[in-house]
């Protein structure tokens, strides 16, 4: 038998894990919701800005989990991941990508906190990946 440490990122239910990670991020001074965030929609398909008071930290936790599972992720892939269908009245709904400003700001805050780093591999897409400190934070969530 191998004595392997369990990984809460995959073993814990996603919603529960994101709440716990968001609570951990809330304690970090780098992750603060900007003043403009309460007035901005999270994408063109949305009708109103998010009403959840913890939206910023929950979105940050979700983005970090996406980067953990996909290894290297850029802003465009995350915009597609968080996009949704726009209600166009009588016309069929159409997919719209999410706002890039929110995602970009969260990624910059994560870099400032030392959780992410920019990664460019020749011949492939550029993006951001977790640092050793970021992986440790995510695996230490209970």
């Amino acid at each position: 038998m191998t004595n392997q440490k369990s990984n809460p990122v995959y073993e814990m239910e996603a919603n529960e894990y994101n709440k716990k990670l968001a609570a951990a991020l809330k304690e970090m001074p780098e992750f603060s919701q900007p003043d403009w965030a309460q007035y901005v929609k999270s994408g063109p398909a949305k009708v109103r800005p998010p009403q959840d008071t913890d939206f910023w930290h929950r979105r940050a936790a979700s983005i970090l989990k996406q980067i953990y599972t996909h290894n290297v992720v850029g802003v465009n892939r995350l915009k597609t991941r968080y996009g949704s269908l726009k209600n166009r009245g009588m016309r069929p709904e159409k997919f719209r990508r999410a706002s890039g400003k929110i995602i970009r700001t969260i990624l910059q805050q994560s870099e400032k906190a030392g959780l992410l780093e920019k990664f460019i591999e020749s011949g492939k897409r550029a993006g951001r990946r977790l640092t050793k400190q970021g992986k440790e934070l995510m695996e230490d969530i209970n």
Side-chain angles (χ1 to χ4, degrees):
M1 288 194 300
T2 59
N3 189 1
Q4 197 172 17
K5 185 178 163 186
S6 65
N7 190 345
V9 178
Y10 297 116
E11 292 179 0
M12 202 180 293
E13 186 181 329
N15 196 23
E16 179 185 345
Y17 179 81
N18 281 351
K19 284 181 183 176
K20 289 183 178 184
L21 182 58
L25 294 176
K26 206 172 198 177
E27 295 172 7
M28 299 176 92
E30 292 87 4
F31 286 95
S32 61
Q33 181 173 339
D35 297 333
W36 53 263
Q38 59 186 339
Y39 306 110
V40 177
K41 300 190 304 182
S42 61
K46 302 298 181 185
V47 178
R48 293 188 186 93
Q51 301 300 311
D52 184 13
T53 55
D54 283 345
F55 168 77
W56 192 263
H57 297 97
R58 290 178 132 197
R59 178 59 59 96
S62 178
I63 287 173
L64 287 175
K65 186 171 180 192
Q66 288 294 314
I67 294 172
Y68 185 90
T69 55
H70 292 89
N71 207 10
V72 177
V73 178
V75 175
N76 275 326
R77 184 180 285 189
L78 290 170
K79 283 172 64 171
T80 304
R81 164 68 180 86
Y82 293 106
S84 58
L85 294 173
K86 180 170 179 65
N87 183 354
R88 304 184 321 147
M90 294 299 288
R91 293 175 294 178
E93 293 178 331
K94 196 168 187 181
F95 181 79
R96 293 285 178 226
R97 297 188 319 161
S99 166
K101 175 72 173 180
I102 293 172
I103 294 169
R104 199 173 307 107
T105 306
I106 288 173
L107 292 175
Q108 289 167 353
Q109 288 177 347
S110 301
E111 276 184 44
K112 197 180 287 185
L115 304 177
L116 294 179
E117 64 185 2
K118 287 186 180 174
F119 179 73
I120 301 172
E121 190 174 322
S122 61
K124 293 192 176 184
R125 294 183 188 176
R128 289 182 172 87
R129 67 177 177 183
L130 285 169
T131 61
K132 186 177 180 184
Q133 179 185 353
K135 286 181 183 176
E136 289 173 359
L137 170 75
M138 296 197 59
E139 292 169 356
D140 288 344
I141 299 294
N142 291 336

